[in-house]
Amino acid sequence: MSIQSVKDFFASHAPDISVIELETSTATVALAAEGHGVEPGQIAKTLAFRTDDSVILVVARGDARIDNKKFKAIFGGKPRMLPLEEVEAETSHPVGGVCPFGLPRPLPVYCDVSLQAYDEVVPAAGAINAAVRIAPQRMAELTSAQWVDVCQ
């Protein structure tokens, strides 16, 4: 159902964007970069965190790492990634296919400024072999994301 929710999202909000499904796994940044013929930084990885009592999604370039001090300054606490078993429950997407599209309920989405180094990024699309190609600014607009600086 997860990939279908992403396809439905794009059909409603951006019908010009198609979900790309590969025959091989793209569940890691390295596999995704190889599968889509881009550099690892162009993979837009979506990370799920718990802050106080809420869940947020942070989308960052594939080769970036979260900076704990920057994260704490913006969100008021140490970054706590969701346990694997909670990720799919919160997002409806499996680990390796998590994205800010087609969520079962609205979650706050934040795009790290690291994505702005590229004209086009490749986030997952709800499955471990699915993705889309999209401009970072358009992704932020479609997901009502706020831009933040939380990566090293």
Side-chain angles (χ1 to χ4, degrees):
M1 184 59 195
S2 182
I3 191 170
Q4 189 59 51
S5 70
V6 174
K7 289 179 177 180
D8 293 346
F9 174 88
F10 283 108
S12 296
H13 298 90
D16 58 305
I17 296 176
S18 298
V19 173
I20 303 160
E21 294 180 73
L22 300 182
E23 303 225 357
T24 59
S25 173
T26 55
T28 67
V29 170
L31 289 173
E34 183 179 331
H36 293 286
V38 298
E39 58 186 84
Q42 269 185 280
I43 300 303
K45 63 183 176 185
T46 303
L47 305 168
F49 293 97
R50 184 165 306 286
T51 60
D52 296 325
D53 293 328
S54 64
V55 172
I56 65 167
L57 300 180
V58 175
V59 186
R61 61 186 278 163
D63 57 1
R65 295 178 55 101
I66 296 294
D67 182 305
N68 289 341
K69 288 182 182 178
K70 289 180 178 181
F71 189 100
K72 186 175 182 178
I74 292 173
F75 298 111
K78 182 180 177 184
R80 295 180 319 229
M81 289 191 74
L82 284 185
L84 295 178
E85 61 273 7
E86 289 183 38
V87 171
E88 192 163 358
E90 291 288 344
T91 66
S92 81
H93 307 317
V95 172
V98 178
C99 63
F101 317 111
L103 301 170
R105 63 181 176 85
L107 292 174
V109 177
Y110 299 89
C111 288
D112 186 76
V113 295
S114 63
L115 294 168
Q116 295 174 345
Y118 298 101
D119 293 331
E120 181 180 72
V121 293
V122 184
I128 62 166
N129 67 330
V132 295
R133 290 179 174 266
I134 190 169
Q137 187 61 42
R138 185 149 187 226
M139 178 174 58
E141 290 167 3
L142 286 171
T143 61
S144 300
Q146 293 181 25
W147 287 101
V148 294
D149 182 2
V150 293
C151 290
Q152 297 174 349

